[in-house]
Amino acid sequence: MGSYSTNEMMTVAASRRLGNGSVCFVGIGLPSKAANLARLTHAPDVVLIYESGPIGAKPSVLPLSIGDGELAETADTVVPTGEIFRYWLQGGRIDVGFLGAAQVDKFGNINTTVIGDYHQPKVRLPGAGGAPEIAGSAKQVLIILKQSHRTFVDKLAFITSVGHAEGGDARKRLGLPGAGPVGIITDLCIMEPEAGSNEFVVTSLHPGITREQVIEATGWAIRFADNVQTTAEPTEAELVALRDLEARTAAAHGQKGSDE
């Protein structure tokens, strides 16, 4: 197997979590990259839905935003945003919500609102968009982001989207219909919620990554599953598909791909 970056490993590992034929509500950025890689490799019949209304989008390049014309032009159909949320999402028709995050905590709660005090923040982030509804109503949620002390924090400055709340059965007690986050995929590892506590623990380390690296990059006392696996390396086909997608995107938008 040839060389690959940690970002490529993260994207490939995340893409593998999408099953063929599943209906996926996709966030822009890393989730969109992973979801479209799945569509271009093992899951050609995955149905990608974006917040702006495209259903069955098949973009040849990664969209700049949910308003990118590429999404509507390649979709099976386009419906009003209200229908996306009320009929598809809240109607229980979304198998997987695929989200990014600025920060995440040990129970899969997400912050995309502010860093620091809400009224006088150090950083004002892009905000919620449709993520709170996706996190609440999708049958399952996947989260993808790069891992560091700044992104994996013990206490969020603001909870934008609820994962497993305070853990245990807290999400159920809130009355949220979806199962919540089932996987956090980073450039170092894969985490999954522990049965009972719903605290995220490391279940798979990417090749060459040590437990010490994960501990160092996590803002809480991260725990490891009893039987930690090693993530399968990207295949040549996965890397070719990903790099071709990034090259097309760079040509179209003048962006860099794998190191975003």
Side-chain angles (χ1 to χ4, degrees):
M1 185 66 253
S3 63
Y4 52 89
S5 70
T6 55
N7 285 349
E8 287 175 328
M9 180 72 261
M10 171 175 60
T11 305
V12 167
S15 77
R16 291 170 177 163
R17 301 290 295 237
L18 281 186
N20 195 28
S22 60
V23 179
C24 180
F25 201 140
V26 192
I28 293 297
L30 290 174
S32 184
K33 184 187 290 189
N36 278 285
L37 177 60
R39 180 179 61 81
L40 293 168
T41 51
H42 69 277
D45 296 321
V46 67
V47 180
L48 302 186
I49 292 181
Y50 288 81
E51 188 175 332
S52 51
I55 297 174
K58 304 171 187 66
S60 60
V61 300
L62 294 172
L64 290 169
S65 72
I66 59 170
D68 196 315
E70 176 81 4
L71 295 175
E73 290 168 5
T74 62
D76 295 330
T77 188
V78 180
V79 302
T81 297
E83 181 177 323
I84 288 290
F85 282 92
R86 184 67 191 96
Y87 179 82
W88 287 89
L89 181 59
Q90 294 172 333
R93 295 172 173 86
I94 301 296
D95 297 317
V96 182
F98 214 149
L99 298 174
Q103 290 183 327
V104 68
D105 68 13
K106 68 177 69 177
F107 298 117
N109 301 302
I110 290 173
N111 176 22
T112 55
T113 303
V114 295
I115 304 295
D117 179 75
Y118 181 82
H119 298 287
Q120 292 183 310
K122 295 177 183 177
V123 180
R124 178 73 68 181
L125 298 168
E133 288 79 12
I134 296 169
S137 295
K139 292 177 185 176
Q140 296 184 338
V141 175
L142 294 173
I143 301 168
I144 177 172
L145 75 164
K146 295 177 72 172
Q147 191 164 350
S148 73
H149 256 274
R150 294 175 62 188
T151 55
F152 281 68
V153 297
D154 186 51
K155 183 174 176 57
L156 296 177
F158 188 92
I159 296 179
T160 310
S161 306
V162 175
H164 293 290
E166 295 87 30
D169 67 348
R171 180 185 174 90
K172 183 178 181 180
R173 286 187 279 109
L174 289 171
L176 295 173
V182 297
I184 300 175
I185 302 94
T186 82
D187 51 338
L188 303 179
C189 66
I190 296 171
M191 301 178 188
E192 294 176 302
E194 179 184 57
S197 73
N198 278 319
E199 178 179 336
F200 274 85
V201 298
V202 177
T203 56
S204 183
L205 290 169
H206 298 334
I209 301 299
T210 65
R211 293 187 179 215
E212 289 70 29
Q213 285 175 283
V214 174
I215 292 168
E216 180 64 29
T218 309
W220 68 83
I222 185 71
R223 297 190 294 116
F224 296 79
D226 291 338
N227 185 22
V228 177
Q229 306 294 311
T230 299
T231 312
E233 290 190 330
T235 66
E236 183 177 355
E238 287 170 328
L239 287 176
V240 167
L242 174 57
R243 290 168 181 173
D244 284 351
L245 176 61
E246 290 176 331
R248 290 195 300 272
T249 301
H253 301 317
Q255 293 180 328
K256 292 183 178 180
S258 61
D259 294 321
E260 79 171 271

